[in-house]
Amino acid sequence: MNTEMDLLKIAVQTVADKGICFGAPMDASQVRTWECQHTVKLPEDYFSFLTEVGDGGVIGPITMDCNTLVSFRTYEENGYSFAGVERPFSLQKSWMPDWGDTIEDAPDDEGKLEKLMDKRWAMIRRDGNITLMEDKTDNYQRWFLVVTGPCRGEVWMESEFGVLRYPGCTFSKWLRLLLEGKWDAYASERAKEENKERESHVSPRERCLAYLKKEKYHPKPVAALDEVREFEAQHGIVLPEDYIEFVTTVANGSRPPRSYFHKLYTMEEAGSLGNLSRPFCFQTMEQLREAVVRQDGEFHLYGIHLRWSTVEKYLDGRIPAEDSLWVPPMLERMNGCLPLWLSVKTQDRSTAFLILNGEFRGQIWSARLRQGIHPHVDHRMENGDRVNVMNFLEKIAIGAY
């Protein structure tokens, strides 16, 4: 059976006439001397590549701006450093701050946490690994080979978002996939698997809290279930279970934001809108269909944008106060809904609201100050789950509202 190294050598021969150019192989004695000096034993397939195939070179681009395999022989001359290469590479799984990862048992003090994060980044860029390829453009990326620690022999990728592990992806497998033009598909599939693994171990509540912390929402304390029941009795409504779960386990709104942050409405703030028990403006799909056809001449279920002039006949007759606290002020004329979230990043401010009755009960739609209402009918996550209050913030993160 062919080993990964055998398959790599075949791949190298296959692309020999395609502009792929490797540097001359190194003497094994040179590499052994380096290992003795740095008290590091290189992964076997990388050692074989350096001494039998080539050292560095120009290969197929791994990104638009990067097609250079870093030379081991001239590593430090090219601006890289072996300082710390003998230290253990301590990570054993991906670490992605942009996905909500932090440092275990880190203090709440932001200054101390920032120092710990800087220390983690320094370790990643220095200890127990060797740079293989590096794209230094705005979308920084670096592929490196782990040479110490439990993940020795694997290729990982660093970017501005964190570091992604490719379990079992040896140097020879990584380079072969790259030469065969299969790396992008492999890396994309691995990223999807990583997301699935994370979702299977993290509860919706934990994901919500991580997102709130990352985006600096400053959540307010949760509400007690007795407070929720009192709120329901006061307004003559029954709240959807996912909303109750959110306000009793995640946050009952957020503190007033700075001008460029989002805001979560508290239960009390949303209740001050009034008329929560009255029918929502569209009670049936047929009513929504009628409004869309009246405006656009035909019905289309997705990407609906209903102008305020179109929905005028469906709204309450009240006139919004000139100094209305609500954005958009027309929320005062929309019965049977509970505001959840306010975007304050753009002039055309957007509010997401939870529908409390009728055929669309439990769905989250949005209203924009200038544009009107955007019905997100039966809105779904990428995994097929219905969008609800517990996963709604994840849709905000990808610009779905």
Side-chain angles (χ1 to χ4, degrees):
M1 180 181 294
N2 288 333
T3 64
E4 278 291 347
M5 192 62 207
D6 293 331
L7 295 173
L8 173 59
K9 290 179 179 179
I10 294 172
V12 169
Q13 293 173 355
T14 302
V15 299
D17 60 346
K18 296 183 179 180
I20 305 298
C21 177
F22 294 107
M26 298 179 64
D27 290 335
S29 59
Q30 288 180 282
V31 183
R32 294 299 184 202
T33 298
W34 181 92
E35 290 180 327
C36 290
Q37 290 175 341
H38 294 277
T39 63
V40 172
K41 184 174 176 59
L42 294 175
E44 290 70 19
D45 61 338
Y46 185 56
F47 181 95
S48 297
F49 176 80
L50 291 175
T51 58
E52 299 175 23
V53 180
D55 172 32
V58 176
I59 60 177
I62 196 166
T63 69
M64 186 179 298
D65 299 297
C66 181
N67 66 346
T68 302
L69 185 64
V70 176
S71 167
F72 187 82
R73 182 189 284 109
T74 60
Y75 193 82
E76 294 185 305
E77 295 173 23
N78 291 329
Y80 299 98
S81 174
F82 287 128
V85 71
E86 76 285 354
R87 297 173 187 160
F89 184 76
S90 58
L91 293 182
Q92 297 183 42
K93 61 180 181 179
S94 299
W95 181 65
M96 303 291 288
D98 196 64
W99 294 355
D101 289 348
T102 182
I103 296 177
E104 293 181 5
D105 301 320
D108 291 334
D109 184 281
E110 289 193 13
K112 292 180 180 179
L113 176 59
E114 186 174 343
K115 289 181 180 179
L116 287 175
M117 295 285 278
D118 290 343
K119 186 176 180 180
R120 172 68 62 85
W121 279 114
M123 179 279 296
I124 290 167
R125 292 163 181 160
R126 178 194 62 214
D127 295 352
N129 67 88
I130 294 171
T131 298
L132 299 173
M133 298 184 78
E134 186 177 33
D135 183 346
K136 297 182 180 180
T137 59
D138 291 341
N139 297 318
Y140 178 80
Q141 295 178 78
R142 179 178 76 101
W143 292 263
F144 60 90
L145 176 65
V146 178
V147 297
T148 63
C151 297
R152 175 181 177 272
E154 290 182 349
V155 173
W156 290 42
M157 188 272 284
E158 173 195 352
S159 72
E160 58 187 311
F161 307 114
V163 284
L164 187 64
R165 180 188 177 191
Y166 300 106
C169 184
T170 61
F171 169 81
S172 51
K173 180 177 181 178
W174 169 78
L175 186 55
R176 175 177 61 82
L177 290 171
L178 186 54
L179 293 175
E180 294 177 347
K182 299 177 181 179
W183 173 253
D184 286 347
Y186 173 87
S188 176
E189 186 60 31
R190 174 56 200 149
K192 291 179 181 178
E193 291 173 359
E194 176 88 17
N195 277 328
K196 289 180 181 178
E197 290 171 10
R198 286 170 176 269
E199 289 180 359
S200 66
H201 292 93
V202 181
S203 69
R205 174 182 175 274
E206 290 171 318
R207 287 203 298 273
C208 286
L209 289 171
Y211 182 81
L212 292 176
K213 183 176 182 180
K214 173 188 167 188
E215 296 297 319
K216 304 184 188 302
Y217 272 84
H218 302 297
K220 289 188 173 183
V222 298
L225 185 57
D226 287 346
E227 295 178 82
V228 175
R229 297 308 180 203
E230 183 179 340
F231 180 87
E232 290 178 317
Q234 176 186 352
H235 293 279
I237 60 174
V238 177
L239 293 167
E241 288 300 318
D242 52 283
Y243 179 80
I244 296 175
E245 183 181 3
F246 186 87
V247 297
T248 59
T249 67
V250 179
N252 182 19
S254 63
R255 298 174 194 166
R258 284 181 273 173
S259 60
Y260 50 88
F261 283 127
H262 300 306
K263 170 185 173 62
L264 289 173
Y265 289 108
T266 65
M267 186 169 56
E268 294 74 18
E269 287 172 331
S272 70
L273 187 62
N275 293 323
L276 303 186
S277 63
R278 297 189 63 183
F280 178 61
C281 55
F282 296 109
Q283 283 289 292
T284 66
M285 178 65 80
E286 188 56 40
Q287 285 182 322
L288 178 61
R289 182 190 300 273
E290 174 190 280
V292 174
V293 171
R294 185 157 59 90
Q295 174 181 278
D296 300 334
E298 60 180 357
F299 180 73
H300 45 94
L301 182 58
Y302 300 105
I304 303 173
H305 160 216
L306 292 175
R307 295 185 292 272
W308 288 118
S309 58
T310 302
V311 298
E312 172 69 30
K313 63 174 289 189
Y314 301 94
L315 299 177
D316 191 283
R318 291 174 293 169
I319 299 176
E322 291 185 7
D323 59 347
S324 175
L325 298 176
W326 295 99
V327 181
M330 296 293 276
L331 274 175
E332 292 190 27
R333 300 182 60 193
M334 292 174 61
N335 301 320
C337 66
L338 198 71
L340 296 174
W341 170 85
L342 170 66
S343 168
V344 294
K345 286 191 173 182
T346 64
Q347 290 184 337
D348 190 16
R349 296 183 177 184
S350 176
T351 293
F353 56 87
L354 176 67
I355 301 173
L356 298 177
N357 53 52
E359 187 174 334
F360 304 113
R361 171 181 161 81
Q363 293 187 10
I364 299 172
W365 293 10
S366 63
R368 290 185 179 273
L369 180 62
R370 297 177 180 175
Q371 296 181 4
I373 294 178
H374 292 260
H376 301 275
V377 178
D378 193 29
H379 207 23
R380 300 273 170 172
M381 303 289 289
E382 290 184 0
N383 63 4
D385 291 345
R386 183 181 66 83
V387 170
N388 58 39
V389 181
M390 289 298 292
N391 59 30
F392 165 67
L393 290 174
E394 297 175 51
K395 296 298 282 187
I396 293 176
I398 60 174
Y401 280 82

